[in-house]
Amino acid sequence: MRARTYVWAAGALLLLALPFYLDRFWLQAGLFAMAAAIGAIGLNLLTGSTGQLSMGHAFFLAVGAYGYCVFAADGGDGLTGLGLPTWLAAVLAVLVAGLAGGVFSPIAGRLHGAYLGIATLALIFIGQHVLFNAKDLTGGFNGRDVPPLSLFGLTFDDSELLVANVPFGSAEKLWYAALVLLLAGALFARGVLRGRPGRAMNAIRDHRIAAGVMGVPVARYRAAVFVLSSMYAGLAGVLLALVFQRTVPDYFGITLSLEYLAMIVIGGLGSVSGAVIGAVFVSVLPQLLTRYSDALPLVSAPGTGGIAPGEASRYLYGAAIVVVVLFLPGGLARVAAGRRFRTDPGEER
């Protein structure tokens, strides 16, 4: 236990120190990974712990991202904006994502398996239609700019702030905000899974009829978890919008939902740490392939004759999913847990 404490402390110090040493590419890659991890935790609560397949996770990310823009923008660009304080806009965007999940929750409470997956898939098509055509709200095909977050007098934009003689831009400032949000989201999800709601969710996943016989309100729990998962997705959407600094409808399509499913399968279903590990793998891989495409065989920039980095990353996702399903049913998180078990003689007893 003491060794594990030291490892966690060293990891925390490393994460806190990274903005002082990494360039913008690596910081943005880390921010994308943390935003993806928040969304993946929410999806893992729904799919991994409750057994509800959702194909519409990208819809709720879009609600969070565009909801923040509408609440925080002042309308100076000709688009709808309420001009609210940005911290309040972020909170309201997450609540609106949860409200959208609540509107859909009666369906989520009564459907399961592939039927719910097909129903949530409709959300993607509805969302894409709205994003492309409600131009006053979304900006249409071109998207809209994202107002920078302001909190406690600190603006998370590219205006430089010297910290220990190191210039901090938007990436460095958002790094610490993302760490706090990810930690809070992971601890809350872990508390849910370890408590009575988590046991009820696992019972519904394993055998919903038996869970109902034991007194678990199956439909109510399914609906509640769907709302909670939507709020996690909305928070991830807000963070992604702040990192991108511009929202575009094309990003929030079916491909993004499939990537989130890949995250939780590769990382480990029903595990908070698995969601984080899978999110890091899926979100960082295409960026690494893009950055080092000149040095990798068969991978090259789009239009140059080789395999594009995004396409190559999807091949690797598919291969990783096959390997996990066939040989690692617990995902990468189970591999890490098994290694700790084998190397820590104190836990073997």
Side-chain angles (χ1 to χ4, degrees), residues 88-296:
L88 179 60
V91 174
L92 291 177
V94 175
L95 293 178
V96 169
L99 179 62
V103 172
F104 193 81
S105 63
I107 299 175
R110 288 164 175 78
L111 297 179
H112 66 280
Y115 299 102
L116 179 60
I118 294 172
T120 53
L121 185 61
L123 292 174
I124 296 294
F125 299 111
I126 294 173
Q128 287 288 289
H129 178 77
V130 172
L131 292 179
F132 282 117
N133 292 281
K135 296 181 180 180
D136 290 339
L137 290 174
T138 67
F141 289 87
N142 296 323
R144 63 182 300 171
D145 292 328
V146 179
L149 178 67
S150 295
L151 187 64
F152 302 124
L154 176 65
T155 302
F156 294 75
D157 58 7
D158 285 322
S159 59
E160 289 190 356
L161 173 68
L162 287 179
V163 179
N165 292 324
V166 176
F168 268 39
S170 61
E172 288 82 3
K173 299 171 188 175
L174 285 172
W175 180 271
Y176 295 106
L179 277 179
V180 172
L181 293 175
L182 176 57
L183 179 62
L187 290 177
F188 181 82
R190 192 174 184 181
V192 169
L193 293 177
R194 290 190 171 186
R196 183 177 179 180
R199 293 191 292 272
M201 291 157 58
N202 291 335
I204 295 172
R205 177 196 62 196
D206 295 336
H207 204 297
R208 60 186 178 87
I209 296 178
V213 171
M214 291 188 295
V216 177
V218 175
R220 187 185 306 170
Y221 263 98
R222 282 178 171 173
V225 176
F226 195 89
V227 172
L228 181 60
S229 175
S230 303
M231 295 180 70
Y232 269 89
L235 180 58
V238 171
L239 185 54
L240 280 173
L242 292 171
V243 176
F244 276 123
Q245 299 180 357
R246 188 171 184 84
T247 57
V248 289
D250 285 331
Y251 180 75
F252 301 98
I254 182 64
T255 301
L256 183 62
S257 290
L258 294 177
E259 287 180 354
Y260 272 93
L261 288 174
M263 292 175 193
I264 63 174
V265 172
I266 294 172
L269 292 171
S271 168
V272 174
S273 59
V276 176
I277 294 172
V280 172
F281 179 85
V282 173
S283 62
V284 173
L285 182 60
Q287 299 180 68
L288 292 178
L289 292 178
T290 302
R291 185 177 178 90
Y292 298 107
S293 59
D294 294 338
L296 295 174

Side-chain angles (χ1 to χ4, degrees), residues 320-332:
I321 291 174
V322 171
V323 170
V324 166
V325 170
L326 293 179
F327 305 107
L328 301 172
L332 297 179

Side-chain angles (χ1 to χ4, degrees), residues 1-15 340 343-344:
M1 293 298 295
R2 183 179 301 175
R4 182 181 298 179
T5 302
Y6 290 150
V7 170
W8 279 106
L13 290 175
L14 177 62
L15 290 174
R340 288 198 305 268
T343 56
D344 191 346

